[in-house]
């Protein structure tokens, strides 16, 4: 009971901590909002990589003859590694290309300083460490992990890429019209924090 509670709390803290790094950089260290948003994207891609690793390990475990129920659950829950990577990886890849092109234009016209993006890069090792620690919790309890547990993690990824697409194709346009990138970043940071904490709490309730 205590170990389960500690793992749930640790997962929640690491999720919230990963969200706080870009926000702390933008609001506390005066990073450019574009750099903060780029760091959120990196964090989400790393989280996708962690999810893909867990899905791969689960699929490998499900190959055992006595794991027929797990093989059926992979299909019913829609958590095949290849499918998740195609959908999520494609979505984050499209956003990354769009955002990179947008930043190239803004930097070329002097609207975004290149140094602002380099400052945000300092947060990458911290975010990567927090994602790795959260992954470590899941690996430590991997023998007890189930397809529904992994489905909740995949669903959290769905929310991430939907949020990025909303920002990419609505928020960026609004920023170009109204010229308030900090406001867009604040809204994005707040909504993403709510998404991530909600997803972590959902997984915690399911693990009881």
């Amino acid at each position: 009971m205590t170990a389960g509670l500690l793992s749930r709390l640790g997962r929640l803290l690491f999720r919230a901590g990963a969200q706080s790094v870009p926000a702390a950089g933008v609001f506390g260290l005066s990073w450019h909002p574009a750099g903060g948003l780029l760091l959120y994207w990196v964090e989400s891609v790393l989280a996708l990589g962690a999810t893909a690793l867990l899905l791969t390990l689960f699929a490998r475990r499900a190959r055992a003859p006595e794991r027929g129920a797990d093989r059926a659950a992979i299909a019913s829950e829609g958590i095949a590694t290849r499918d998740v990577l195609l959908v999520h990886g494609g979505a984050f890849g499209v956003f990354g290309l769009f955002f990179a092109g947008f930043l190239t234009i803004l930097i070329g016209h002097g609207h975004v300083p290149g140094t602002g993006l380099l400052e945000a890069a300092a947060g990458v090792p911290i975010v990567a460490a927090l994602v790795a620690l959260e992954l470590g919790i899941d690996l430590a309890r991997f023998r007890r992990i189930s397809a529904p547990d992994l489905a909740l993690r995949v669903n959290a990824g769905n929310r991430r890429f939907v949020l990025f697409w909303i920002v990419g194709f609505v928020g960026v346009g609004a920023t170009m019209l109204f010229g308030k990138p900090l406001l867009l970043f604040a809204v994005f940071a707040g909504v993403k924090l709510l998404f991530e904490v909600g997803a972590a709490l959902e997984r915690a309730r399911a693990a009881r």
Side-chain angles (χ1 to χ4, degrees), residues 43-133:
E43 177 264 333
S44 295
V45 172
L46 291 173
L48 172 59
T51 298
L53 174 61
L54 290 171
L55 293 176
T56 300
L57 293 175
F58 187 80
R60 183 176 300 173
R61 189 180 73 180
R63 293 174 187 167
E66 68 275 11
R67 292 280 184 175
D70 285 343
R71 292 193 294 273
I74 290 173
S76 63
E77 296 283 356
I79 55 171
T81 308
R82 183 182 62 181
D83 295 342
V84 172
L85 284 176
L86 283 173
V87 175
H88 293 202
F92 283 120
V94 169
F95 178 85
L97 291 173
F98 169 79
F99 194 51
F102 184 66
L103 285 178
T104 300
I105 294 172
L106 291 180
I107 292 173
H109 287 80
H111 298 300
V112 174
T115 55
L117 300 182
L118 293 176
E119 290 172 347
V124 172
I126 302 173
V127 167
L130 291 168
V131 172
L133 287 170

Side-chain angles (χ1 to χ4, degrees), residues 17-203:
Q19 309 315 303
S20 69
V21 175
V26 171
F27 296 114
L29 300 176
S30 299
W31 294 351
H32 193 279
L37 186 59
L38 183 61
L39 188 55
Y40 275 125
W41 179 83
V42 170
E43 177 264 333
S44 295
V45 172
L46 291 173
L48 172 59
T51 298
L53 174 61
L54 290 171
L55 293 176
T56 300
L57 293 175
F58 187 80
R60 183 176 300 173
R61 189 180 73 180
R63 293 174 187 167
E66 68 275 11
R67 292 280 184 175
D70 285 343
R71 292 193 294 273
I74 290 173
S76 63
E77 296 283 356
I79 55 171
T81 308
R82 183 182 62 181
D83 295 342
V84 172
L85 284 176
L86 283 173
V87 175
H88 293 202
F92 283 120
V94 169
F95 178 85
L97 291 173
F98 169 79
F99 194 51
F102 184 66
L103 285 178
T104 300
I105 294 172
L106 291 180
I107 292 173
H109 287 80
H111 298 300
V112 174
T115 55
L117 300 182
L118 293 176
E119 290 172 347
V124 172
I126 302 173
V127 167
L130 291 168
V131 172
L133 287 170
E134 182 186 5
L135 174 62
I137 291 176
D138 285 326
L139 290 174
R141 59 179 293 273
F142 186 74
R143 285 184 296 179
R144 299 188 299 276
I145 207 164
S146 66
D149 293 333
L150 293 173
L152 288 174
R153 187 168 183 129
V154 171
N155 288 337
N158 291 336
R159 298 171 186 172
R160 289 187 195 105
F161 81 68
V162 168
L163 179 58
F164 272 100
W165 273 54
I166 291 173
V167 170
F169 298 106
V170 178
V172 170
T175 300
M176 293 175 66
L177 288 174
F178 302 110
K180 294 185 178 180
L182 189 59
L183 176 61
L184 171 67
F185 179 84
V187 171
F188 178 89
V191 172
K192 191 168 188 301
L193 177 61
L194 290 176
F195 275 7
E196 297 291 356
V197 170
L201 291 175
E202 186 179 12
R203 292 181 65 198

